[in-house]
DNA sequence: TTTTGTGAACGTGTTCACAGCG
DNA sequence: CGCTGTGAACACGTTCACAAAA
């Protein structure tokens, strides 16, 4: 199997969601074209993406919804449960912990950590926030992924601690580049960057009326 | 000025952050190489990105930190304030509203909306949550960007309402592709996709020990 | 005839390598 | 000599277009 591009994996995740919907609608078959239009990509893209993993369709017919869904489910590793630890239970970390959607997809938040004594011991959902110092001990229960929702200054340190604790995937929400060993998967979600790319777009894409600032 | 790629804009945002740090450290000059290493890109990339907007460096010396920072600030549109409305004040929407970091970068949350009567009227920070039906009226105060933090099913409808209210940029946090007119900038942050790409990586990148499932 | 699966063509973003300037 | 700015080379992802299969 050739190397899979990140964009392909992201789209797989989208296809999977569409397939869930379509299955609920009771459809048995779906063409690459229909699968594509719901996510705003081309049908060729869908077929290319899927062809990285096998031949799941039938020419002239399309794809069996239930079957394709199961295949993608297995490809994405959603046919098992993942144990997730959240580090940093400020607004964002807490929001993530309380969001039930992830659990539905196979992600269980099994531990929450913070450094702030005011937060340690606090109950969130059905977990108690623990001291970050307890991470190594807690990790012996087996933690697959860590979510970093701490302030920027603590982020790298927490990443190191997670790696040391044997975590193999990290979702970083802190606005800072993190360095981790190559055997650890790292994904960054940086709201600041998102806001700033929007601000760039609004600043440059010609507004309906007069242009905003003619670049002094 | 040629078309600017999205990746370039995202990196600009990163460079900006590094420049803030470096300026605080009291450095006056920085080379493309040093600017690059903090964000894990190549120095050529930094120079290419910057060259889209002008020649800000001096050969043999590097870039003047304060000057480059001001330039990028203007390019990203961070030298003004942006009025942001948050729609959907569940866990995530609330977290975003209460996060002070955006305000520091020029983004002011000036209104919050929800559909749930239990939430309408509630005080969050120094805003009162309003009925989403009041969006058109509230938008007459001038709203630049909208953040969609509603459940999936409401997302497209809210997007349409934001567009109708004259919003020109949307940050979508709901896990669903949205369709907006081309004059509206749209950015998606989809935590579900992030978790699932991590799950894919953990499922495929060879684990230290035995391989998980040999693809039945 | 419909729709997949896929090599080839294309376009875009990244890296290289060096000329140009301080 | 050091470092920027940039055309040229390269790598990679997307789209095209069609042969193969139902």
């Amino acid at each position: 199997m050739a190397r899979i591009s990140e964009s392909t994996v992201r789209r797989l995740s989208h296809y999977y969601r569409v397939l869930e919907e379509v299955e609920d609608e009771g459809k048995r078959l779906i063409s690459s074209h229909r699968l594509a239009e719901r996510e705003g990509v081309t049908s060729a893209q869908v077929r290319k993406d899927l062809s990285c993993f096998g031949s799941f369709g039938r020419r002239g017919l399309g794809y069996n919804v239930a079957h394709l869904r199961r295949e993608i489910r297995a490809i994405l590793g959603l046919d098992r449960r993942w144990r997730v630890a959240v580090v940093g239970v400020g607004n964002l970390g807490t929001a993530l912990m309380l969001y039930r959607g992830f659990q539905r997809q196979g992600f269980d938040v099994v531990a929450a950590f913070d450094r702030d004594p005011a937060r340690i011991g606090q109950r969130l959902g059905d977990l108690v926030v623990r001291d970050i110092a307890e991470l190594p001990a807690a990790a012996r229960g087996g933690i697959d992924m860590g979510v970093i929702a701490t302030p920027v200054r603590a982020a790298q340190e927490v990443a190191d601690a997670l790696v040391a604790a044997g975590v193999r995937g990290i979702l970083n929400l802190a606005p800072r580049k993190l360095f981790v060993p190559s055997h650890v998967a790292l994904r960054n979600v940086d709201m600041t960057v998102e806001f700033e790319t929007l601000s760039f777009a609004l600043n440059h894409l010609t507004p309906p009326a007069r242009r905003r600032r003619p670049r002094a």
Side-chain angles (χ1 to χ4, degrees), chain A:
Chain A
M1 188 197 299
R3 203 196 139 267
I4 310 299
S5 79
E6 189 186 314
S7 348
T8 292
V9 179
R10 303 183 79 85
R11 282 190 299 265
L12 238 37
S13 175
H14 287 120
Y15 304 153
Y16 183 68
R17 202 173 304 144
V18 172
L19 288 167
E20 286 185 311
E21 287 176 22
V22 169
E23 194 170 21
D24 287 348
E25 293 166 12
K27 301 252 172 58
R28 282 189 53 75
L29 291 167
I30 189 167
S31 67
S32 58
H33 182 74
R34 294 264 214 96
L35 193 41
E37 68 188 0
R38 296 228 196 178
E39 282 301 333
V41 298
T42 67
S43 59
Q45 184 75 81
V46 171
R47 296 197 299 274
K48 253 283 151 64
D49 286 339
L50 295 178
S51 77
C52 296
F53 303 95
S55 296
F56 306 121
R58 293 209 307 211
R59 303 181 188 219
L61 285 175
Y63 301 89
N64 177 298
V65 174
H67 175 244
L68 184 57
R69 189 168 95 79
R70 275 196 306 275
E71 289 287 349
I72 297 184
R73 191 176 153 85
I75 292 166
L76 289 177
L78 301 178
D79 51 358
R80 53 158 287 181
R81 303 204 69 82
W82 297 96
R83 295 169 63 83
V84 178
V86 172
V87 184
V89 290
N91 296 322
L92 196 52
T94 305
L96 239 60
M97 282 189 57
L98 299 179
Y99 179 55
R100 312 296 290 185
F102 301 131
Q103 193 170 325
R104 230 195 67 245
Q105 294 295 338
F107 300 90
D108 298 310
V109 179
V110 297
F113 301 94
D114 207 299
R115 194 165 62 183
D116 182 349
R119 286 177 181 159
I120 295 166
Q122 191 183 327
R123 185 171 206 82
L124 281 177
D126 38 34
L127 287 178
V128 172
V129 179
R130 305 172 66 173
D131 190 318
I132 180 70
E134 294 177 34
L135 173 59
R140 275 192 279 279
I143 294 179
D144 301 301
M145 306 176 182
V147 176
I148 301 180
T150 65
V152 175
R153 63 182 173 286
Q156 182 64 58
E157 189 185 338
V158 168
D160 296 343
L162 285 168
V163 171
V167 161
R168 285 170 47 231
I170 292 178
L171 178 59
N172 174 38
L173 299 169
R176 141 95 101 255
K177 165 91 181 174
L178 297 184
F179 296 88
V180 297
S182 62
H183 68 273
V184 175
L186 175 64
R187 203 97 290 152
N188 298 288
V189 171
D190 189 331
M191 295 287 185
T192 308
V193 172
E194 303 304 329
F195 272 103
E196 291 180 4
T197 56
L198 273 183
S199 145
F200 173 87
L202 268 53
N203 209 28
H204 291 261
L205 267 53
T206 47
R210 77 238 182 286
R211 204 174 158 74
R212 182 158 302 284
R213 49 175 58 234
R215 293 266 303 108

